[in-house]
Amino acid sequence: MSKVRAHLIISGRVQGVYYRVETRDRAAALGLTGWVRNMPDRSVEVVVEGSRDDVEKLIGWCRQGPPMAEVTDVSVTWENYTGEFNKFNIIF
């Protein structure tokens, strides 16, 4: 099974609604690695690695997010897998 890496920028009402925490929990449940963080422009940035199917599942979840989120856009850039992460973290 090949591994992939995706870089996401999620826009909308995605800060202050537990987006990072729930993204981390979903990614961990899928066995994915990487990180999630808030950005100064009120978006959320995600870098995620794992199997393509599981990364696509996380991307699908990110398009809706947690119940209080109002996602308006998810920009996805596919990148080369690096294997540099050992778990999925929230970074500040």
Side-chain angles (χ1 to χ4, degrees):
M1 173 179 356
S2 67
K3 303 269 186 163
V4 298
R5 177 182 179 120
H7 181 211
L8 289 67
I9 302 293
I10 301 102
S11 303
R13 188 168 147 231
V14 292
Q15 290 190 18
V17 294
Y18 298 98
Y19 201 100
R20 290 176 301 160
V21 171
E22 293 209 24
T23 301
R24 179 200 57 203
D25 293 349
R26 299 272 174 163
L30 290 166
L32 300 172
T33 61
W35 51 261
V36 58
R37 69 177 172 185
N38 283 343
M39 298 298 290
D41 67 357
R42 311 277 307 152
S43 66
V44 169
E45 181 179 23
V46 175
V47 172
V48 59
E49 291 189 338
S51 74
R52 185 169 192 101
D53 284 348
D54 290 334
V55 169
E56 287 181 352
K57 286 177 189 173
L58 184 68
I59 293 169
W61 179 85
C62 285
R63 294 187 189 286
Q64 180 174 353
M68 297 297 291
E70 294 176 13
V71 177
T72 57
D73 187 53
V74 178
S75 169
V76 180
T77 304
W78 294 98
E79 301 175 347
N80 292 327
Y81 175 81
T82 67
E84 68 186 276
F85 310 113
N86 58 17
K87 63 181 184 173
F88 197 94
N89 293 304
I90 296 172
I91 62 173
F92 300 93

